[in-house]
């Protein structure tokens, strides 16, 4: 209960901060419609928000309504229109209870490198889901850490991700029955490449990514950012199965060094032959080191008491900006190699290139 209250407080703080930060637009124009909008520094990116409605699926958290999720589309503002199919697409799934907007830095970094990033909120599960028209749907979860809720959340997230891929494919074909394409910049639907799709996620969003790799062959590469390989209270199927799709995992050091994690899932994961897999960890980091808090919380502010656990709300003691930069480089390297066919040598021996990194085996 204490951990849940702390998480609610942290996310509420992010929402308040986001409301203040929303006056700072991205470098390229587009109405964001989100709570949290951070400046894109010197990166030339644009942002649009959409509501995607799956008319063929009932919302598991609010029965009787079609499943509807808001997404943030972050894209390189200087993309070449005209049907060149030059832009790979990357889906993003946030942590449990956490809004997609708490990962704006990661999305804008990838967009500045030539990707279209689609960040999803999973309506009814997030503490507060904000839609482009301003309405807010609060969490519908009453027992967040029960096995039933965790499984339901993960199953719903996997279906959300596949629906977003369906939408990307439809828009690229010119099919747009709900008229959402008009909310995107001219030519973007024709510029995205539906044959090059990746996905990453943080925490349960990372676990979601691993399951999507198993279930949806349209996703070509994935990054699990500090997600425990659990499906409710049991090991995720990825632990004993090779999806045949490249998977990178980036962990906080407490997670990587946890004997419980090794016993419950990582041991079997490493024992299973894989087509391509790397697991790296960053020294002196915490679970929240992979959110925007790592950039905006001053180094001198200590972690909340009692959060020194693998899945707690710690930022650790590693240099904040070095953590952000290292994580961004590893995530981008993964998609550069497997979506753009770039060498990305940092993937092969990250420990020799980045002082904070060590390999987990």
């Amino acid at each position: 209960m204490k951990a849940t209250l702390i998480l609610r407080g942290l996310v509420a703080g992010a929402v308040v901060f986001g409301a203040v930060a929303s006056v700072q637009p991205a470098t390229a124009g587009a109405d964001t419609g989100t709570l949290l909008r951070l400046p894109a520094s010197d990166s030339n990116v644009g942002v649009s928000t959409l509501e995607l409605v799956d008319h063929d699926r009932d919302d598991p958290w609010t029965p009787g309504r079609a499943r509807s999720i808001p997404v943030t589309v972050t894209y390189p503002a200087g993309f070449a229109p005209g049907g060149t199919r030059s832009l790979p697409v990357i889906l993003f799934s946030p942590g449990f209870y956490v809004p997609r907007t708490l990962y704006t830095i990661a999305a804008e970094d990838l967009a500045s490198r030539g990707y279209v990033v689609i960040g999803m909120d999973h309506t009814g599960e997030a503490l507060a889901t904000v839609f482009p028209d301003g309405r807010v749907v609060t969490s519908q979860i009453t027992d967040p850490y029960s096995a039933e809720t965790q499984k339901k959340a993960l199953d719903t997230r996997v279906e959300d991700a596949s629906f977003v891929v369906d939408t990307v494919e439809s828009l690229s074909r010119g099919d747009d029955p709900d008229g959402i394409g008009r909310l995107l910049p001219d030519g973007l639907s024709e510029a995205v490449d539906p044959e090059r799709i990746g996905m990453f996620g943080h925490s349960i969003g990372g676990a979601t990514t691993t399951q999507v790799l198993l279930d949806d062959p349209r996703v070509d590469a994935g990054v699990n950012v500090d997600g425990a390989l659990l499906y409710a209270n049991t090991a995720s199927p990825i632990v004993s199965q090779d999806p045949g799709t490249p998977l990178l995992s980036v962990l906080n050091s407490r997670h990587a060094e946890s004997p419980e994690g090794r016993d419950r899932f990582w041991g079997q994961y490493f024992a299973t032959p894989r087509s391509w897999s790397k697991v790296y960890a960053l020294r002196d980091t915490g679970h929240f080191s992979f959110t925007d808090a790592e950039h905006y919380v001053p180094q001198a502010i200590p972690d909340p008491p009692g959060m020194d656990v693998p899945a707690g709300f710690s930022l650790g003691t590693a240099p904040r900006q070095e953590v952000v930069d290292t994580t961004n480089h590893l995530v981008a390297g993964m998609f550069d190699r497997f979506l753009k066919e770039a060498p990305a040598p940092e993937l092969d021996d990250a420990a020799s290139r980045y002082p904070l990194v060590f390999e987990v085996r």
Side-chain angles (χ1 to χ4, degrees), residues 6 20 37 42-43 99 112 115 165 238 328 334-335 346:
I6 292 174
V20 175
R37 280 297 306 122
D42 58 351
S43 300
S112 73
Y115 295 96
V165 176
I238 195 78
N328 286 348
M334 184 67 178
F335 295 125
E346 63 271 23

Side-chain angles (χ1 to χ4, degrees), residues 282-313:
L282 275 62
R283 291 181 179 84
D284 302 321
T285 52
H287 194 51
F288 259 40
S289 294
F290 305 105
T291 70
D292 287 344
E294 184 72 8
H295 181 82
Y296 286 97
V297 175
Q299 190 83 40
I301 294 181
D303 287 328
M307 290 298 102
D308 189 16
V309 294
F313 314 121

Side-chain angles (χ1 to χ4, degrees), residues 158-180:
V158 170
E159 291 186 274
D160 287 347
S162 289
F163 171 61
V164 171
V165 176
D166 292 342
T167 302
V168 170
E169 291 183 332
S170 295
L171 289 174
S172 70
R173 292 193 304 264
D175 298 334
D176 187 15
D178 289 339
I180 57 176

Side-chain angles (χ1 to χ4, degrees), residues 237-243 247 268-277:
I238 195 78
V239 166
S240 56
Q241 298 178 40
D242 176 20
L247 174 63
Q268 181 60 46
Y269 180 88
F270 291 125
T272 301
R274 301 192 176 275
S275 50
W276 194 98
S277 170

